[in-house]
Amino acid sequence: VLRVLRAARVIRSLKDFYTCRLIMDCLSHVIFPTFWVFTMLLFALYVSAIVLLQMLDVFISAKPTAEIVDHYGSLGNAIFTLYLSVTGGLDWQKALEPLLVISGWFRLFFIMFVGFMHFGMFNIYSAIFVAFVTTFVKRHHQESLHNSWSEDSAAIEELRLIMTKENARNDDRITFRRLARILQDKGITHLKKVGLDIDAVLGVFNMLDAEETGTVLVDEIACSLMQLKGNTENVHFATVMYENKRLMTRINKLSQHLQSEFDDLKA
């Protein structure tokens, strides 16, 4: 048993066995819901068996046959027969045949019982399990994304520290050439950790340099990389925002230039 548990822990620790780990986690968390499902199933079988035995007590007048005694001779036998009839262990038509000799009301009882169990309780139980597993899978996926985001955040923070340390400027801004040199040297390892290449980071630099000064804040680059890794759907939106910012900067410069020209003409 200890070896099996150790093997399970080893499998859970491997990233390549994500599906296997997910199934094992689902099974470990579904134990208590399964217990309550079987409890409710046993309760339904118990009530149905009592009703069936009461009907036998009312309709039976002679000595019961050996088949009836085997299937319904006691409360435990009745529960077991009903359980087999709804789980495929025994055809419920065969379980009904010895009772039809006594009364036709048992046919109605089995129709209602089997219909309630198959179309009612079993479908509800299946829906509960599906909803539970779906919720657990979503939570597991969110935890996996959170762990991945934490690893990327740590790698980008280390890259930010490297850019700050290797930067020759004192205003927390970095030039395009200095950034490219750092990324090709000490930053290449951290880029591989977060799954980015040098061209992507340099592209972020160009987007952030809306005023075309040739310099960008180091913290602004780090924040943009985290947004890039955190939600890739925001990349296009951010690109449009930076392009609009750059366009507005050019318009403002043009407006200032025209205003100065008009002032010179008036003078």
Side-chain angles (χ1 to χ4, degrees), residues 118-154:
H118 279 284
F119 301 111
M121 293 195 68
F122 287 164
N123 284 335
I124 293 175
Y125 292 156
S126 299
I128 291 174
F129 276 112
V130 170
F132 177 84
V133 173
T134 302
T135 303
F136 181 80
V137 169
K138 289 182 178 179
R139 186 175 63 186
H140 198 278
H141 181 64
Q142 291 176 355
E143 292 177 355
S144 178
L145 289 178
H146 178 72
N147 294 334
S148 178
W149 181 86
S150 299
E151 294 176 358
D152 293 340
S153 178

Side-chain angles (χ1 to χ4, degrees), residues 11-56:
I11 292 176
R12 289 185 61 184
S13 62
L14 296 178
K15 294 183 179 181
D16 295 336
F17 290 89
Y18 173 77
T19 304
C20 182
R21 291 189 297 111
L22 183 59
I23 294 174
M24 291 175 59
D25 290 338
C26 289
L27 291 176
S28 63
H29 285 79
V30 85
I31 293 176
F32 286 105
T34 304
F35 169 77
W36 289 113
V37 164
F38 276 103
T39 301
M40 294 298 298
L41 177 62
L42 180 62
F43 177 76
L45 293 173
Y46 174 77
V47 174
S48 301
I50 290 179
V51 174
L52 180 59
L53 292 179
Q54 290 293 327
M55 293 177 63
L56 279 173

Side-chain angles (χ1 to χ4, degrees), residues 138-188:
K138 289 182 178 179
R139 186 175 63 186
H140 198 278
H141 181 64
Q142 291 176 355
E143 292 177 355
S144 178
L145 289 178
H146 178 72
N147 294 334
S148 178
W149 181 86
S150 299
E151 294 176 358
D152 293 340
S153 178
I156 292 176
E157 177 62 20
E158 293 177 359
L159 180 61
R160 187 190 69 83
L161 294 177
I162 292 175
M163 288 189 294
T164 303
K165 182 179 179 181
E166 298 294 328
N167 190 16
R169 300 171 63 98
N170 297 324
D171 55 355
D172 295 332
R173 303 182 71 89
I174 190 171
T175 62
F176 183 88
R177 183 177 298 179
R178 174 70 64 175
L179 176 63
R181 188 180 303 170
I182 294 174
L183 295 178
Q184 293 173 357
D185 186 13
K186 296 183 179 180
I188 188 65

